[in-house]
Amino acid sequence: MARGGQGLARVAVVVRAGAAPMWWLGVAAAGIGVAVPGVTGRRIGVLAGAALLIVVAVAVALPRRGRYAALAKGAARAGRNDVLQDRAVTARTWHRGHRWWLLLAFLAALGSAFAVPAAGGMALAGAGVGLWLKAAWLGRRERAAEELLWVRVDWLDRRGGNPTGKPVKAYRSTGIAAGDAIPGGRRRKPTAALV
């Protein structure tokens, strides 16, 4: 890294990193859970799971929006010596840091099927949906401001997450074309070569 520069990770990518694993692990746990009759029965389990999916998605998507907005408002322009971390590296760091938590959440969702079939898995999937919604909300803010939001890597927690934690003093910003992820944190599609 160049002297005076900082490693920067995209805020939306950090938020979005857990969405896919939570969704797919939740879907898998719910699918397996449906095969278990459970205490309540499958019908009640699926209905309870659907309600939990919505509640958990909202509970994950809405909190700390004020903190995100305040950090974005105070964002300083990234310096020429700052290093923009690839989307894949940011996501991989998050996945490695949370792999045991994800495994425990999956096992808990499976275990809950013996009481309420599918409900635990659908709740876990709802957490993934909530993270997608939060990343999409960040993406709309980025498009409106025509800037991408970045956070210093050394300000993230030891598992590569929590872009609104206490150590985070402010975000950095770049133009909309910087990095390899579009607003909201999705992978940027490669442009077609001119013929």
Side-chain angles (χ1 to χ4, degrees):
M1 185 183 299
R3 189 173 63 179
Q6 299 288 340
L8 303 179
R10 275 290 303 286
V11 175
V13 173
V14 175
V15 170
R16 188 185 176 92
M22 287 184 191
W23 167 259
W24 289 114
L25 288 173
V27 168
I32 296 168
V34 169
V36 180
V39 175
T40 62
R42 290 185 184 94
R43 183 172 178 273
I44 291 174
V46 170
L47 290 174
L52 275 174
L53 188 149
I54 294 167
V55 169
V56 171
V58 171
V60 170
L62 295 182
R64 304 195 66 103
R65 286 193 176 195
R67 173 80 169 143
Y68 282 101
L71 289 167
K73 189 175 181 181
R77 202 71 176 168
R80 62 188 304 178
N81 290 332
D82 288 332
V83 177
L84 306 181
Q85 186 168 272
D86 290 345
R87 176 188 181 279
V89 174
T90 303
R92 186 167 55 245
T93 301
W94 192 98
H95 294 156
R96 285 180 179 167
H98 291 83
R99 63 186 179 274
W100 295 114
W101 183 91
L102 290 169
L103 176 61
L104 289 173
F106 176 68
L107 294 175
L110 279 179
S112 70
F114 290 98
V116 187
M122 293 175 81
L124 183 57
V129 171
L131 291 176
W132 268 318
L133 292 174
K134 183 171 282 187
W137 172 75
L138 282 167
R140 288 192 296 275
R141 286 189 61 91
E142 289 177 325
R143 283 191 188 91
E146 294 189 346
E147 64 179 16
L148 302 179
L149 298 173
W150 302 77
V151 61
R152 281 175 49 172
V153 173
D154 59 332
W155 283 351
L156 296 173
D157 66 22
R158 60 188 176 85
R159 293 185 303 275
N162 198 9
T164 57
K166 282 187 179 180
V168 181
K169 306 294 187 285
Y171 291 153
R172 302 273 178 94
S173 66
T174 63
I176 208 81
D180 62 348
I182 64 173
R186 282 188 296 137
R187 184 180 298 111
R188 192 182 299 279
K189 292 181 180 176
T191 55
L194 296 175
V195 178

